[in-house]
Amino acid sequence: MATYTPAEIEARWQTAWDKAGIFTAKRDETKPKYYVLEMFPYPSGRIHMGHVRNYTMGDVIARYKMSTGHNVLHPMGWDAFGMPAENAAMAIGGHPKDWTYGNIKDMRGQMKPLGLSIDWSREFATCDPEYYGQQQALFLDFLEAGLIHRKNAQVNWDPVDMTVLANEQVIDGKGWRSGAEVEKRDLTQWFFKISDYAGELNEALQGLENWPAKVRLMQENWIGESRGLQFAFSTIDAPDGFDRVEVYTTRPDTLMGASFVGISPDHPLAKQLEKDNADLAAFNAECRKGGTTAAEIETAEKMGFDTGLRVRHPFDTDWELPVYVANFILMDYGTGAIFGCPAHDERDFEFATKYALPIISTYLPSEDADPKVTEAYVPAKTDKVFYNGGFAGEAWQTGNDAIAAAIDFCEGKGVGQGVTKYRLRDWGLSRQRYWGAPIPVVHCDTCGVVPEKKENLPVELPYDVEFDTPGNPLDRHPTWRDTPCPSCGKPAKRETDTMDTFVDSSWYFARFTSPRADTPTVAEDAAYWMNVDQYIGGIEHAILHLLYSRFFARAMQITGHLPESAIEPFDALFTQGMVTHECYTPEGGDEKRGPFFFPEEVDRDARVKKDTGEKIEIFSSVKMSKSKKNVVDPLGIIANYGADTARWFVLSDSPPERDVEWTASGAEAAYKHLNRVWNICDRIGAMDKDAAGKDDDALLKIMHKTIHDVTMGVESFGFNAAIAKLYAFTAALQKSKASHAAQREAVMTLAQLMAPMTPHLAEDIWAHQGGEGLVTTAPWPKADDKMLVDDTVTLPIQVNGKRRGEIEVPADMPKDEVEKIALASQAVQKALDGGQPKKVIVVPGRIVNVVV
RNA sequence: GCGGGUGUGGUGGAAUGGUAGACACACCAGACUUAAAAUCUGUUGGGCGAAUGCCCGUGGGGGUUCGAGUCCCCCCACCCGCACCA
């Protein structure tokens, strides 16, 4: 008997697919197109199980769509710019470019054995000058269209290394290399005006019906639309030019509970006042220390500084409020100034308690509540509110009404106006780093900031750079910066900032439609292939990458690079879970700190380390990471079991949107199953072709049900459920005594249904059974509706919602007859005990419930 | 701090508001074998019972419903994101 030899089978079929060229996508107006895309990988140098899972899911969709008559585009590329390449250059020497391209070569070599249906002819890396040159062209077009502007922004500054740090390089407020306390610094930087599109991006979320609701919700919260009142406090004896302090509030209904005005340490007024106030200057400097992340700012202790300045309440000019500088107020949001209402805001309450400011209640939680405020009362939007002073004579039913009514009231009194604001900030794209796409502008002493001419693109990165000192090597390069001004021709300097890598990934999906063109896109190709029909990637990209891409699609449409129909570039989105694994430490080890052992170093069942016999501890499954050593190398799995086993396993055990735990026993089981399928094929091949069988119909009935269920499963990302059905079908086939013809039909259908998941094994079975051509290009099997319906159904009988028996009835029996039979059943008779049922619910084909 | 998510047997998980635990792992028993491995068959949520059966059970507590793992409210635990990581 022959045995299943995945290594040989897989290599053979991959060669066959290559020869047939079936994955090369060409425009074909006669077929419906289908564009399936997995988020492209960062070339770290090694594929991991997360990649295997992500690309296998995309491959299942791509192969399924191919067999249902679609013209499929399924490309792959590399998100190749970014810090790790520079870090590697600094840590181990070498050059980011060499490191990156070396990694790409390695990873491509590791991905090919997976047997993915990828059109490799479209492959590119974002660090290819041919790609980022087109990106620079887009930048220039966006700039001309007014979609990009320059302004100041804060960065993390390491005062010892004299360099800008990424958030992830700031650890506990200190630089990761120098250990120096990080400062916030202002730099002039480029920004995409994404905030101009906040309203539109927010509104269009509603049309993204095939996106997960949670991603839409996360984006909605991120954009953060709010309706509020913008108004000004007039100041008393303030410096020139600061007669008023503009504030924005979403809670104008609590204006009569104001007790202080707070401004950001970066507010112009704070900066003006600190000139004559050393203590305030010191306070502001303290606030500028620490990281720039939202989490750090919001969890930092609330600190304030009384500037001594006073303002007048807009509704009572005798009422004076102090102006504090406070560390929790962001200059980027609203006007950088707020009024504090401690009675109805938890943060303001904390602040007012700390600095002994008045706490004035305007609402009470109930009519007879104690008016003495011991904690902030924040009415929910739908809460009934009980008015307690404030705007005389105004009374509102709920918190929500109160806000809208307060805006009307204030506008009527000439105090400010209602405005809609967004939390979304403009997208800063400048990075003070080498390994990114150079921003194609020139700084000229005469002409100022001048865009580079398109014919001079790409502005290529110089290769001869040094990483021995921190900071941006482009700044130190002796000649690269020198260039004639594109406007006046005099000697000028290039900008040395490069683009955020999120820019690279914000349009790559469009580039795949014409990857070699000398314009960013080609109209006919973009029109044919866009949009991405199915996009697949990690939930960690739910906000930034996906929001930036949506903005880019709009910007590219405005500048003529994408058709209007591609304004939302991803028709359907699927966010898949991670691959996790147990962690192993020595006995008494720490779950978070280790030290850790690799899975192959331990004997899991004996709970010992293999070489030393040392006892080990097993900790729960978490995301695979190098630091925890809980990684399983896909290459090892492929070498031992083959790619089909790896593919089958990552699809089988968990729903795709959830995390999947990699277990050695699970992988082993997947391998055993594929062996079983192979053996069944082998057995059927050896059968007597003419021998009579029995129960052919039963086998074919299961077959058609499986076709139906697997088709539904694949269409709805229910891969794990589809695989469960395939297990059941396999078991039925294994036990079947049906005729050769029926069994052959069954095993060939099994191969077709498995083909998207385990394509190599499926091809081999198909060929063994004499199937025509490749199973990959064979049309998807169709379930025969007649075979799906059963003549009789088993209905559970419930009494008061508890299962008490069952009846078997013809599937098409009318409701009243079912009811009769149910009532006559032993279980119901017993429960009725001679009485009458109060109510009988018959759900046809489902259940009968008798209420007694 | 803010935002999002998850919670079902020993384990991963299944279940358009309609028989909770499909399918798989693990365990146990059996077949085959001199033996082991491989393979095949069967059992397996907990409790009570000789038994047709009965009671309990989807993180905890309430609610809506003829019927709730599923919908609503409150609570607990864990995970993810937070704008210069990709």
Side-chain angles (χ1 to χ4, degrees), chain A residues 240-422:
Chain A
D240 283 350
F242 293 98
D243 298 345
R244 296 147 51 86
V245 178
E246 283 278 327
V247 302
Y248 171 74
T249 177
T250 57
R251 294 299 310 279
D253 54 322
T254 65
L255 186 50
M256 299 314 279
S259 76
F260 65 95
V261 168
I263 62 174
S264 162
D266 301 302
H267 194 280
L269 178 57
K271 288 184 175 174
Q272 176 64 39
L273 290 171
E274 73 177 24
K275 288 179 185 163
D276 304 316
N277 187 335
D279 290 342
L280 177 58
F283 176 81
N284 288 344
E286 186 64 28
C287 292
R288 284 175 200 128
K289 277 188 192 166
T292 58
T293 70
E296 278 182 87
I297 290 164
E298 298 201 18
T299 51
E301 194 192 345
K302 310 286 173 279
M303 290 194 300
F305 186 95
D306 186 354
T307 61
L309 188 68
R310 295 289 178 270
V311 297
R312 297 185 196 284
H313 194 284
F315 284 101
D316 180 357
T317 49
D318 294 334
W319 183 353
E320 294 186 8
L321 302 164
V323 177
Y324 276 76
V325 176
N327 65 337
F328 58 86
I329 300 170
L330 304 173
M331 194 56 221
D332 293 321
Y333 183 65
T335 61
I338 60 151
F339 81 80
C341 179
H344 305 300
D345 182 282
E346 278 160 31
R347 191 170 56 186
D348 294 348
F349 184 87
E350 191 185 325
F351 192 83
T353 308
K354 186 167 177 179
Y355 295 103
L357 295 162
I359 297 170
I360 308 153
S361 169
T362 64
Y363 288 133
L364 294 176
S366 63
E367 221 156 353
D368 50 358
D370 184 352
K372 190 171 176 297
V373 180
T374 52
E375 57 176 5
Y377 166 57
V378 187
K381 284 184 174 177
T382 52
D383 271 8
K384 190 169 165 61
V385 291
F386 296 89
Y387 188 65
N388 175 41
F391 302 126
E394 297 293 328
W396 301 305
Q397 288 303 301
T398 67
N400 214 24
D401 290 345
I403 292 166
I407 291 171
D408 285 349
F409 179 84
C410 292
E411 282 181 340
K413 297 281 179 188
V415 175
Q417 57 271 256
V419 291
T420 300
K421 282 204 186 285
Y422 299 90

Side-chain angles (χ1 to χ4, degrees), chain A residues 539-571:
Chain A
I539 185 72
E540 67 273 21
H541 295 290
I543 296 173
L544 295 182
H545 163 58
L546 291 165
L547 191 60
Y548 292 159
S549 296
R550 296 179 60 218
F551 165 72
F552 244 72
R554 282 166 173 76
M556 287 176 77
Q557 189 245 317
I558 289 164
T559 51
H561 295 292
L562 277 180
E564 206 161 327
S565 55
I567 202 159
E568 283 297 339
F570 310 122
D571 275 354

Side-chain angles (χ1 to χ4, degrees), chain A residues 210-240:
Chain A
N210 295 315
W211 281 38
K214 65 174 173 181
V215 174
R216 297 202 313 248
L217 188 60
M218 283 163 84
Q219 290 217 353
E220 190 184 322
N221 288 330
W222 189 257
I223 294 168
E225 183 175 292
S226 67
R227 180 77 184 160
L229 183 75
Q230 185 159 334
F231 69 100
F233 287 99
S234 56
T235 55
I236 303 168
D237 300 331
D240 283 350

Side-chain angles (χ1 to χ4, degrees), chain A residues 3-299:
Chain A
T3 46
Y4 174 51
T5 51
E8 183 272 320
I9 289 174
E10 290 176 5
R12 182 153 44 84
W13 290 108
Q14 283 168 21
T15 307
W17 297 327
D18 272 353
K19 260 193 199 153
I22 49 177
F23 303 137
T24 308
K26 294 187 196 74
R27 252 172 33 211
D28 176 355
E29 309 291 342
T30 65
K31 277 178 162 181
K33 68 91 189 179
Y34 197 90
Y35 183 1
V36 54
L37 183 66
E38 302 97 55
M39 291 180 186
F40 65 165
Y42 178 79
S44 60
R46 235 172 151 70
I47 61 165
H48 53 71
M49 276 301 169
H51 292 127
V52 175
R53 192 172 191 218
N54 188 201
Y55 306 138
T56 302
M57 286 180 196
D59 204 43
V60 170
I61 301 292
R63 286 172 177 275
Y64 168 72
K65 287 293 174 182
M66 187 182 287
S67 65
T68 51
H70 292 80
N71 188 27
V72 172
L73 173 59
H74 186 206
M76 180 61 66
W78 309 94
D79 191 12
F81 275 135
M83 286 199 309
E86 287 188 41
N87 294 342
M90 283 188 273
I92 57 173
H95 193 282
K97 183 177 175 180
D98 302 334
W99 184 84
T100 303
Y101 279 104
N103 284 350
I104 288 174
K105 184 169 171 285
D106 291 347
M107 284 181 76
R108 192 192 301 115
Q110 293 160 21
M111 277 167 72
K112 290 242 168 140
L114 284 171
L116 303 170
S117 62
I118 284 167
D119 178 0
W120 286 101
S121 73
R122 289 175 188 254
E123 175 191 359
F124 60 77
T126 56
C127 62
D128 297 343
E130 296 76 22
Y131 181 79
Y132 70 73
Q134 297 304 328
Q135 186 165 304
Q136 289 168 337
L138 286 178
F139 178 95
L140 296 177
D141 287 349
F142 288 9
L143 187 61
E144 201 184 341
L147 293 160
I148 297 177
H149 65 138
R150 292 186 94 206
K151 65 177 180 185
N152 280 348
Q154 288 189 337
V155 295
N156 299 305
W157 179 259
D158 185 322
V160 171
D161 277 351
M162 305 287 279
T163 188
V164 176
L165 298 178
N167 279 340
E168 74 161 12
Q169 294 173 320
V170 180
I171 294 151
D172 296 332
K174 298 190 169 64
W176 66 329
R177 277 172 189 278
S178 66
E181 191 111 2
V182 169
E183 297 168 9
K184 288 175 214 159
R185 264 215 181 178
D186 265 349
L187 286 186
T188 306
Q189 305 196 55
W190 292 100
F191 284 82
F192 289 113
K193 289 190 183 173
I194 191 173
S195 63
D196 286 357
Y197 295 84
E200 194 189 321
L201 288 166
N202 193 50
E203 220 164 292
L205 283 173
Q206 290 176 11
L208 299 176
E209 287 164 18
N210 295 315
W211 281 38
K214 65 174 173 181
V215 174
R216 297 202 313 248
L217 188 60
M218 283 163 84
Q219 290 217 353
E220 190 184 322
N221 288 330
W222 189 257
I223 294 168
E225 183 175 292
S226 67
R227 180 77 184 160
L229 183 75
Q230 185 159 334
F231 69 100
F233 287 99
S234 56
T235 55
I236 303 168
D237 300 331
D240 283 350
F242 293 98
D243 298 345
R244 296 147 51 86
V245 178
E246 283 278 327
V247 302
Y248 171 74
T249 177
T250 57
R251 294 299 310 279
D253 54 322
T254 65
L255 186 50
M256 299 314 279
S259 76
F260 65 95
V261 168
I263 62 174
S264 162
D266 301 302
H267 194 280
L269 178 57
K271 288 184 175 174
Q272 176 64 39
L273 290 171
E274 73 177 24
K275 288 179 185 163
D276 304 316
N277 187 335
D279 290 342
L280 177 58
F283 176 81
N284 288 344
E286 186 64 28
C287 292
R288 284 175 200 128
K289 277 188 192 166
T292 58
T293 70
E296 278 182 87
I297 290 164
E298 298 201 18
T299 51

